[in-house]
Coordinates of all heavy atoms in Angstrom, one line a residue:
G1 N -4.4 -41.3 65.7 CA -3.5 -40.5 66.4 C -2.1 -40.4 65.7 O -1.3 -39.7 66.1
L2 N -1.9 -41.1 64.6 CA -0.6 -41.0 63.9 C -0.6 -39.9 62.8 O -1.5 -39.8 62.0 CB -0.3 -42.3 63.2 CG 1.1 -42.5 62.5 CD1 2.2 -42.3 63.5 CD2 1.2 -43.8 61.9
R3 N 0.3 -39.0 62.9 CA 0.4 -37.9 61.9 C 0.8 -38.5 60.5 O 1.6 -39.3 60.4 CB 1.4 -36.9 62.3 CG 1.0 -36.1 63.5 CD 2.1 -35.1 63.9 NE 2.3 -34.2 62.8 CZ 2.8 -33.0 63.0 NH1 3.2 -32.6 64.2 NH2 3.0 -32.2 62.0
L4 N 0.1 -38.0 59.5 CA 0.4 -38.5 58.2 C 1.7 -37.9 57.6 O 2.0 -36.7 57.8 CB -0.8 -38.2 57.2 CG -2.1 -38.8 57.6 CD1 -3.2 -38.4 56.6 CD2 -2.0 -40.3 57.7
H5 N 2.5 -38.7 57.0 CA 3.8 -38.4 56.5 C 4.2 -39.4 55.5 O 3.5 -40.5 55.4 CB 4.8 -38.2 57.6 CG 5.0 -39.4 58.4 ND1 5.8 -40.5 58.1 CD2 4.5 -39.7 59.6 CE1 5.7 -41.4 59.0 NE2 4.9 -41.0 60.0
Y6 N 5.3 -39.2 54.7 CA 5.7 -40.2 53.8 C 6.0 -41.5 54.6 O 6.6 -41.4 55.7 CB 7.0 -39.8 53.1 CG 7.5 -40.7 52.0 CD1 7.0 -40.5 50.7 CD2 8.2 -41.8 52.3 CE1 7.4 -41.4 49.7 CE2 8.6 -42.7 51.3 CZ 8.2 -42.5 50.0 OH 8.5 -43.3 49.0
G7 N 5.4 -42.6 54.2 CA 5.5 -43.8 54.9 C 4.3 -44.2 55.7 O 4.3 -45.2 56.4
T8 N 3.2 -43.5 55.4 CA 1.9 -43.8 56.0 C 1.0 -44.1 54.8 O 1.2 -43.6 53.7 CB 1.3 -42.8 56.9 OG1 1.2 -41.5 56.2 CG2 2.1 -42.6 58.2
C9 N -0.1 -44.8 55.1 CA -1.1 -45.1 54.0 C -2.5 -45.3 54.5 O -2.6 -45.6 55.7 CB -0.6 -46.3 53.2 SG -0.6 -47.9 54.1
A10 N -3.4 -45.2 53.6 CA -4.8 -45.5 54.0 C -5.1 -46.9 53.5 O -4.7 -47.3 52.4 CB -5.8 -44.5 53.3
V11 N -5.9 -47.7 54.3 CA -6.2 -49.1 54.0 C -7.7 -49.3 54.3 O -8.4 -48.5 54.9 CB -5.3 -50.0 54.8 CG1 -3.9 -49.8 54.4 CG2 -5.6 -49.9 56.3
D12 N -8.2 -50.5 53.8 CA -9.5 -51.0 54.2 C -9.3 -51.8 55.5 O -8.6 -52.8 55.6 CB -10.0 -51.9 53.1 CG -11.4 -52.5 53.4 OD1 -11.8 -52.4 54.6 OD2 -12.1 -52.9 52.5
R13 N -9.8 -51.2 56.6 CA -9.6 -51.8 57.9 C -10.1 -53.3 58.1 O -9.7 -54.0 58.9 CB -10.2 -51.0 59.0 CG -9.5 -49.7 59.2 CD -10.0 -48.9 60.4 NE -11.5 -48.8 60.3 CZ -12.2 -48.2 61.2 NH1 -11.7 -47.7 62.3 NH2 -13.5 -48.1 61.1
R14 N -11.0 -53.7 57.2 CA -11.5 -55.0 57.2 C -10.4 -56.0 56.8 O -10.5 -57.2 57.2 CB -12.7 -55.2 56.3 CG -14.0 -54.4 56.8 CD -15.1 -54.4 55.9 NE -14.6 -53.8 54.6 CZ -15.2 -54.0 53.4 NH1 -16.3 -54.7 53.3 NH2 -14.8 -53.4 52.4
L15 N -9.5 -55.5 56.0 CA -8.4 -56.4 55.5 C -7.1 -56.2 56.2 O -6.3 -57.1 56.5 CB -8.2 -56.2 54.0 CG -9.4 -56.6 53.1 CD1 -9.0 -56.2 51.7 CD2 -9.8 -58.0 53.3
I16 N -6.8 -54.9 56.5 CA -5.5 -54.5 57.2 C -5.8 -53.7 58.4 O -6.3 -52.5 58.2 CB -4.6 -53.8 56.2 CG1 -4.3 -54.6 54.9 CG2 -3.3 -53.4 56.8 CD1 -3.6 -53.9 53.8
P17 N -5.5 -54.1 59.6 CA -5.7 -53.3 60.8 C -4.8 -52.1 60.8 O -3.7 -52.1 60.3 CB -5.4 -54.3 61.9 CG -5.4 -55.7 61.3 CD -5.0 -55.5 59.9
M18 N -5.3 -51.0 61.5 CA -4.5 -49.8 61.7 C -3.3 -50.2 62.5 O -3.3 -51.0 63.3 CB -5.3 -48.8 62.5 CG -6.5 -48.2 61.8 SD -6.1 -47.2 60.4 CE -6.6 -48.2 59.1
G19 N -2.2 -49.6 62.1 CA -0.9 -49.8 62.7 C -0.1 -50.9 62.1 O 1.1 -51.1 62.4
T20 N -0.7 -51.6 61.1 CA 0.1 -52.7 60.5 C 1.2 -52.1 59.6 O 1.0 -51.1 58.9 CB -0.9 -53.5 59.6 OG1 -1.9 -54.1 60.4 CG2 -0.2 -54.6 58.8
V21 N 2.3 -52.8 59.7 CA 3.5 -52.4 58.9 C 3.5 -53.1 57.6 O 3.3 -54.4 57.5 CB 4.8 -52.7 59.6 CG1 6.0 -52.3 58.8 CG2 4.8 -51.9 61.0
L22 N 3.6 -52.4 56.5 CA 3.6 -53.0 55.1 C 4.9 -52.6 54.4 O 5.6 -51.6 54.8 CB 2.5 -52.3 54.3 CG 1.1 -52.4 54.9 CD1 0.1 -51.5 54.1 CD2 0.6 -53.8 55.0
Y23 N 5.3 -53.5 53.5 CA 6.3 -53.1 52.5 C 5.7 -53.0 51.2 O 5.1 -54.0 50.7 CB 7.5 -54.1 52.5 CG 8.6 -53.7 51.6 CD1 9.5 -52.7 52.0 CD2 8.7 -54.2 50.3 CE1 10.5 -52.2 51.2 CE2 9.6 -53.7 49.5 CZ 10.5 -52.7 49.9 OH 11.5 -52.3 49.0
V24 N 5.8 -51.9 50.5 CA 5.2 -51.6 49.2 C 6.2 -51.6 48.2 O 7.1 -50.7 48.3 CB 4.3 -50.3 49.2 CG1 3.7 -50.1 47.9 CG2 3.3 -50.3 50.4
Q25 N 6.2 -52.5 47.2 CA 7.2 -52.6 46.2 C 7.3 -51.2 45.4 O 6.3 -50.7 45.0 CB 6.8 -53.7 45.2 CG 7.9 -54.0 44.2 CD 7.5 -55.2 43.3 OE1 6.3 -55.5 43.2 NE2 8.4 -55.8 42.7
G26 N 8.5 -50.6 45.4 CA 8.7 -49.4 44.7 C 8.5 -48.2 45.5 O 8.9 -47.1 45.2
Y27 N 7.9 -48.3 46.7 CA 7.7 -47.2 47.6 C 8.5 -47.3 48.9 O 9.1 -46.4 49.4 CB 6.2 -47.1 48.0 CG 5.7 -46.1 48.9 CD1 5.5 -44.8 48.5 CD2 5.6 -46.3 50.3 CE1 5.0 -43.8 49.3 CE2 5.1 -45.3 51.2 CZ 4.9 -44.1 50.7 OH 4.4 -43.1 51.5
G28 N 8.5 -48.5 49.5 CA 9.2 -48.8 50.7 C 8.2 -49.2 51.8 O 7.1 -49.7 51.6
Y29 N 8.7 -48.9 53.1 CA 7.8 -49.2 54.2 C 6.7 -48.2 54.4 O 6.8 -47.1 54.1 CB 8.7 -49.2 55.5 CG 9.8 -50.3 55.5 CD1 11.1 -49.9 55.3 CD2 9.4 -51.6 55.8 CE1 12.1 -50.9 55.3 CE2 10.4 -52.6 55.8 CZ 11.7 -52.2 55.5 OH 12.7 -53.2 55.6
A30 N 5.6 -48.7 54.8 CA 4.4 -47.9 55.1 C 3.7 -48.5 56.3 O 3.6 -49.7 56.5 CB 3.5 -47.8 53.9
V31 N 3.0 -47.6 57.0 CA 2.2 -48.0 58.2 C 0.8 -47.6 57.9 O 0.5 -46.5 57.5 CB 2.7 -47.2 59.5 CG1 1.8 -47.6 60.7 CG2 4.2 -47.6 59.8
A32 N -0.1 -48.6 58.1 CA -1.5 -48.3 57.9 C -2.0 -47.4 59.0 O -2.0 -47.7 60.2 CB -2.3 -49.6 58.0
A33 N -2.4 -46.1 58.6 CA -2.7 -45.1 59.5 C -4.0 -44.3 59.2 O -4.3 -43.4 60.0 CB -1.5 -44.1 59.6
D34 N -4.7 -44.7 58.2 CA -5.8 -43.9 57.8 C -6.7 -44.8 57.0 O -6.4 -45.9 56.6 CB -5.4 -42.7 56.9 CG -6.4 -41.7 56.8 OD1 -7.5 -41.7 57.5 OD2 -6.2 -40.8 55.9
T35 N -8.0 -44.4 56.8 CA -8.9 -45.0 55.9 C -9.5 -44.0 54.9 O -9.2 -42.8 55.1 CB -10.1 -45.6 56.7 OG1 -10.8 -44.6 57.3 CG2 -9.7 -46.7 57.7
G36 N -10.2 -44.4 53.9 CA -10.8 -43.5 53.0 C -12.0 -44.2 52.4 O -12.0 -45.4 52.3
S37 N -12.9 -43.3 51.9 CA -14.1 -43.9 51.4 C -13.9 -44.7 50.1 O -14.6 -45.6 49.8 CB -15.1 -42.8 51.1 OG -14.6 -41.8 50.2
A38 N -12.8 -44.4 49.3 CA -12.6 -45.1 48.1 C -11.6 -46.2 48.3 O -11.3 -47.0 47.4 CB -12.0 -44.1 47.1
I39 N -11.1 -46.4 49.5 CA -10.2 -47.5 49.8 C -11.0 -48.7 50.3 O -11.2 -48.9 51.5 CB -9.1 -47.1 50.9 CG1 -8.5 -45.7 50.5 CG2 -8.1 -48.1 51.0 CD1 -7.9 -45.7 49.1
I40 N -11.3 -49.5 49.3 CA -12.2 -50.7 49.6 C -11.5 -51.9 49.0 O -11.0 -51.9 47.8 CB -13.6 -50.6 49.0 CG1 -14.3 -49.4 49.6 CG2 -14.4 -51.8 49.2 CD1 -15.6 -49.0 48.9
G41 N -11.3 -53.0 49.8 CA -10.7 -54.2 49.3 C -9.2 -54.1 49.2 O -8.5 -53.5 50.0
N42 N -8.7 -54.6 48.1 CA -7.3 -54.7 47.9 C -6.7 -53.4 47.3 O -6.1 -53.4 46.2 CB -6.9 -55.9 46.9 CG -7.2 -57.2 47.6 OD1 -7.1 -57.3 48.8 ND2 -7.5 -58.2 46.8
R43 N -6.9 -52.3 48.0 CA -6.4 -51.0 47.6 C -5.7 -50.4 48.8 O -6.2 -50.5 49.9 CB -7.5 -50.1 47.1 CG -8.1 -50.5 45.8 CD -9.3 -49.5 45.5 NE -9.8 -49.9 44.2 CZ -10.1 -49.0 43.3 NH1 -9.9 -47.8 43.4 NH2 -10.6 -49.4 42.1
I44 N -4.7 -49.6 48.5 CA -4.1 -48.7 49.5 C -3.9 -47.4 48.9 O -3.8 -47.2 47.7 CB -2.8 -49.3 50.1 CG1 -1.7 -49.4 49.0 CG2 -3.1 -50.6 50.8 CD1 -0.4 -49.8 49.6
D45 N -3.8 -46.4 49.7 CA -3.6 -45.0 49.3 C -2.3 -44.5 50.0 O -2.3 -44.3 51.2 CB -4.8 -44.1 49.6 CG -4.7 -42.7 49.0 OD1 -3.7 -42.4 48.3 OD2 -5.5 -41.9 49.4
L46 N -1.3 -44.3 49.3 CA 0.0 -44.0 49.8 C 0.1 -42.5 50.0 O -0.3 -41.7 49.2 CB 1.2 -44.5 48.9 CG 1.2 -46.0 48.7 CD1 2.2 -46.3 47.6 CD2 1.6 -46.7 50.0
F47 N 0.8 -42.1 51.1 CA 1.0 -40.6 51.3 C 2.3 -40.2 50.7 O 3.3 -40.9 50.8 CB 1.1 -40.3 52.8 CG 1.2 -38.9 53.1 CD1 0.1 -38.1 53.3 CD2 2.5 -38.3 53.2 CE1 0.2 -36.7 53.5 CE2 2.6 -36.9 53.5 CZ 1.4 -36.1 53.6
F48 N 2.3 -39.1 50.0 CA 3.5 -38.5 49.4 C 3.6 -37.1 49.9 O 2.7 -36.4 50.3 CB 3.3 -38.5 47.8 CG 3.5 -39.8 47.2 CD1 2.4 -40.6 47.0 CD2 4.7 -40.3 46.8 CE1 2.5 -41.9 46.5 CE2 4.9 -41.5 46.3 CZ 3.7 -42.3 46.1
N49 N 4.8 -36.6 49.9 CA 5.1 -35.2 50.4 C 4.6 -34.1 49.6 O 4.5 -33.0 50.0 CB 6.6 -35.1 50.7 CG 7.1 -36.0 51.8 OD1 6.4 -36.2 52.8 ND2 8.3 -36.5 51.7
S50 N 4.3 -34.4 48.3 CA 3.8 -33.3 47.5 C 2.8 -33.9 46.5 O 2.8 -35.1 46.2 CB 4.9 -32.6 46.7 OG 5.4 -33.5 45.7
Y51 N 2.0 -33.0 45.9 CA 1.0 -33.4 44.9 C 1.7 -33.9 43.7 O 1.3 -34.9 43.1 CB 0.1 -32.2 44.6 CG -0.9 -32.5 43.5 CD1 -2.0 -33.2 43.8 CD2 -0.7 -32.0 42.2 CE1 -3.0 -33.5 42.8 CE2 -1.6 -32.2 41.2 CZ -2.7 -33.0 41.5 OH -3.7 -33.2 40.5
G52 N 2.8 -33.3 43.3 CA 3.6 -33.7 42.2 C 4.1 -35.1 42.3 O 4.1 -35.9 41.4
D53 N 4.6 -35.4 43.5 CA 5.1 -36.8 43.8 C 4.0 -37.8 43.6 O 4.2 -38.9 43.0 CB 5.7 -36.9 45.1 CG 7.1 -36.2 45.3 OD1 7.7 -35.8 44.3 OD2 7.5 -35.9 46.4
A54 N 2.8 -37.5 44.1 CA 1.7 -38.4 44.0 C 1.3 -38.6 42.6 O 1.0 -39.7 42.1 CB 0.5 -37.8 44.8
C55 N 1.3 -37.5 41.8 CA 1.0 -37.6 40.4 C 2.0 -38.4 39.6 O 1.6 -39.2 38.7 CB 0.8 -36.2 39.7 SG -0.6 -35.3 40.3
R56 N 3.3 -38.3 39.9 CA 4.3 -39.0 39.3 C 4.1 -40.5 39.6 O 4.4 -41.4 38.7 CB 5.7 -38.6 39.7 CG 6.1 -37.3 38.9 CD 7.5 -36.9 39.2 NE 7.7 -36.3 40.5 CZ 7.4 -35.0 40.7 NH1 6.9 -34.3 39.8 NH2 7.6 -34.5 41.9
W57 N 3.7 -40.9 40.8 CA 3.5 -42.3 41.2 C 2.3 -42.8 40.4 O 2.3 -43.9 39.9 CB 3.3 -42.4 42.7 CG 3.0 -43.8 43.1 CD1 1.8 -44.3 43.3 CD2 3.9 -44.8 43.5 NE1 1.8 -45.6 43.7 CE2 3.1 -45.9 43.8 CE3 5.3 -44.9 43.5 CZ2 3.7 -47.1 44.2 CZ3 5.9 -46.1 43.9 CH2 5.1 -47.2 44.3
G58 N 1.2 -42.0 40.4 CA 0.0 -42.3 39.7 C -0.7 -43.5 40.4 O -0.6 -43.7 41.6
R59 N -1.5 -44.2 39.6 CA -2.2 -45.4 40.1 C -1.6 -46.6 39.4 O -1.4 -46.6 38.2 CB -3.7 -45.3 39.6 CG -4.5 -46.5 40.1 CD -5.9 -46.4 39.6 NE -6.6 -45.2 40.1 CZ -7.9 -45.0 39.9 NH1 -8.6 -45.8 39.2 NH2 -8.4 -43.9 40.5
Q60 N -1.2 -47.5 40.2 CA -0.5 -48.7 39.7 C -0.7 -49.9 40.6 O -1.1 -49.8 41.7 CB 1.0 -48.4 39.6 CG 1.7 -47.9 40.8 CD 3.1 -47.6 40.5 OE1 3.9 -48.5 40.4 NE2 3.5 -46.3 40.4
S61 N -0.5 -51.0 40.0 CA -0.6 -52.3 40.7 C 0.8 -52.6 41.3 O 1.8 -52.6 40.5 CB -1.1 -53.4 39.8 OG -2.4 -53.2 39.4
V62 N 0.9 -52.9 42.5 CA 2.2 -53.2 43.2 C 2.0 -54.4 44.1 O 0.9 -54.6 44.6 CB 2.8 -52.0 43.9 CG1 3.2 -50.9 43.0 CG2 1.9 -51.5 45.0
K63 N 3.1 -55.0 44.5 CA 3.0 -56.1 45.5 C 3.1 -55.4 46.9 O 3.9 -54.5 47.0 CB 4.1 -57.1 45.3 CG 3.9 -58.0 44.1 CD 4.8 -59.1 44.1 CE 4.5 -59.9 42.9 NZ 4.7 -61.3 43.1
V64 N 2.3 -55.8 47.8 CA 2.3 -55.3 49.2 C 2.5 -56.5 50.1 O 1.8 -57.5 50.0 CB 1.0 -54.6 49.5 CG1 1.0 -54.1 50.9 CG2 0.8 -53.4 48.5
Y65 N 3.5 -56.3 51.0 CA 3.8 -57.4 51.9 C 3.4 -56.9 53.3 O 3.8 -55.8 53.7 CB 5.3 -57.7 51.9 CG 5.7 -58.2 50.5 CD1 6.2 -57.3 49.6 CD2 5.7 -59.5 50.2 CE1 6.6 -57.7 48.3 CE2 6.1 -60.0 48.9 CZ 6.6 -59.1 48.0 OH 7.0 -59.5 46.8
V66 N 2.7 -57.7 54.1 CA 2.4 -57.4 55.5 C 3.5 -58.0 56.3 O 3.8 -59.2 56.3 CB 1.0 -58.1 55.9 CG1 0.7 -57.8 57.3 CG2 -0.1 -57.5 55.0
L67 N 4.1 -57.1 57.1 CA 5.3 -57.5 57.9 C 4.9 -57.8 59.3 O 4.0 -57.1 59.9 CB 6.3 -56.4 57.9 CG 6.8 -56.0 56.5 CD1 7.9 -54.9 56.6 CD2 7.4 -57.2 55.7
P68 N 5.5 -58.8 59.9 CA 5.2 -59.2 61.3 C 5.9 -58.4 62.3 O 6.5 -58.9 63.3 CB 5.6 -60.7 61.3 CG 6.8 -60.7 60.4 CD 6.5 -59.7 59.3
I69 N 6.0 -57.1 62.2 CA 6.7 -56.2 63.2 C 5.7 -55.1 63.5 O 4.8 -54.8 62.7 CB 8.0 -55.7 62.7 CG1 7.9 -54.8 61.4 CG2 9.0 -56.8 62.4 CD1 9.1 -54.1 61.0
T70 N 6.0 -54.4 64.6 CA 5.2 -53.2 65.0 C 5.8 -52.0 64.4 O 6.9 -51.9 64.0 CB 5.1 -53.1 66.5 OG1 6.4 -52.8 67.0 CG2 4.6 -54.4 67.2
R71 N 5.0 -50.9 64.5 CA 5.4 -49.6 64.0 C 6.7 -49.2 64.8 O 7.6 -48.7 64.2 CB 4.3 -48.6 64.1 CG 4.7 -47.2 63.7 CD 3.5 -46.2 63.7 NE 2.8 -46.3 64.9 CZ 2.7 -45.3 65.8 NH1 3.4 -44.2 65.6 NH2 2.0 -45.4 66.9
S72 N 6.7 -49.3 66.1 CA 7.8 -48.9 66.9 C 9.1 -49.7 66.5 O 10.2 -49.2 66.5 CB 7.5 -49.0 68.4 OG 7.2 -50.3 68.8
Q73 N 8.9 -51.0 66.2 CA 10.1 -51.8 65.8 C 10.6 -51.3 64.5 O 11.8 -51.2 64.3 CB 9.7 -53.3 65.7 CG 9.5 -53.9 67.0 CD 8.9 -55.3 66.9 OE1 8.0 -55.6 66.0 NE2 9.3 -56.2 67.8
L74 N 9.7 -50.9 63.5 CA 10.1 -50.4 62.2 C 10.9 -49.1 62.4 O 11.9 -48.9 61.9 CB 8.9 -50.2 61.3 CG 9.2 -49.5 60.0 CD1 10.1 -50.3 59.1 CD2 7.9 -49.1 59.3
Y75 N 10.3 -48.2 63.2 CA 10.9 -46.9 63.4 C 12.3 -47.1 64.1 O 13.2 -46.3 63.7 CB 10.0 -46.0 64.2 CG 8.8 -45.5 63.5 CD1 7.9 -44.7 64.1 CD2 8.6 -45.8 62.1 CE1 6.8 -44.2 63.4 CE2 7.5 -45.3 61.4 CZ 6.6 -44.5 62.1 OH 5.5 -44.1 61.4
K76 N 12.4 -48.0 65.0 CA 13.7 -48.2 65.7 C 14.7 -48.7 64.6 O 15.9 -48.3 64.6 CB 13.6 -49.2 66.8 CG 14.8 -49.5 67.6 CD 14.6 -50.4 68.7 CE 15.8 -50.6 69.6 NZ 15.6 -51.5 70.7
K77 N 14.3 -49.7 63.8 CA 15.1 -50.2 62.7 C 15.6 -49.1 61.7 O 16.7 -49.1 61.3 CB 14.4 -51.3 61.9 CG 15.1 -51.9 60.8 CD 14.3 -52.9 60.0 CE 15.0 -53.4 58.8 NZ 14.3 -54.4 58.1
L78 N 14.7 -48.2 61.4 CA 15.0 -47.1 60.5 C 15.7 -45.9 61.2 O 16.1 -44.9 60.5 CB 13.8 -46.6 59.8 CG 13.1 -47.7 58.9 CD1 11.8 -47.1 58.4 CD2 14.0 -48.2 57.8
G79 N 15.8 -45.9 62.5 CA 16.4 -44.8 63.3 C 15.5 -43.6 63.3 O 16.0 -42.5 63.4
I80 N 14.2 -43.8 63.3 CA 13.3 -42.7 63.4 C 12.8 -42.6 64.9 O 12.4 -43.6 65.5 CB 12.1 -42.9 62.5 CG1 12.6 -43.0 61.0 CG2 11.0 -41.8 62.6 CD1 11.5 -43.4 60.1
A81 N 12.8 -41.4 65.4 CA 12.3 -41.2 66.8 C 10.8 -41.2 66.9 O 10.1 -40.8 66.1 CB 12.8 -39.9 67.3

């Protein structure tokens, strides 16, 4: 039910439950909101606003931190309605 936008990502639900708040080094905060057939194990797929932005990011290894807050707490902290 969460619309995809910058700050959402696809994850392997066996490792990261939907709705989990992550901090991705070099990207910022992201909420686990989707899955994908190629997203297995220690991989995430970040949403970008354009194809060009996604290509510039490319495929890379980054540190991902699982944060102990909810999506609504994150949005409140960031001032997002």
Side-chain angles (χ1 to χ4, degrees):
L2 183 61
R3 292 178 59 158
L4 298 179
H5 55 82
Y6 189 91
T8 57
C9 63
V11 298
D12 183 340
R13 290 188 307 180
R14 294 173 299 163
L15 299 177
I16 301 173
M18 291 293 110
T20 299
V21 177
L22 308 170
Y23 183 79
V24 182
Q25 188 176 20
Y27 180 84
Y29 295 102
V31 176
D34 196 12
T35 62
S37 61
I39 308 305
I40 299 170
N42 293 332
R43 290 177 177 228
I44 62 172
D45 186 8
L46 299 169
F47 185 89
F48 287 90
N49 291 324
S50 72
Y51 177 75
D53 289 344
C55 288
R56 280 186 284 283
W57 176 269
R59 182 183 296 186
Q60 52 183 286
S61 294
V62 295
K63 289 191 180 214
V64 176
Y65 302 91
V66 176
L67 302 180
I69 63 173
T70 65
R71 177 173 50 108
S72 59
Q73 289 171 324
L74 172 65
Y75 287 176
K76 185 176 181 179
K77 176 181 176 174
L78 297 176
I80 299 171

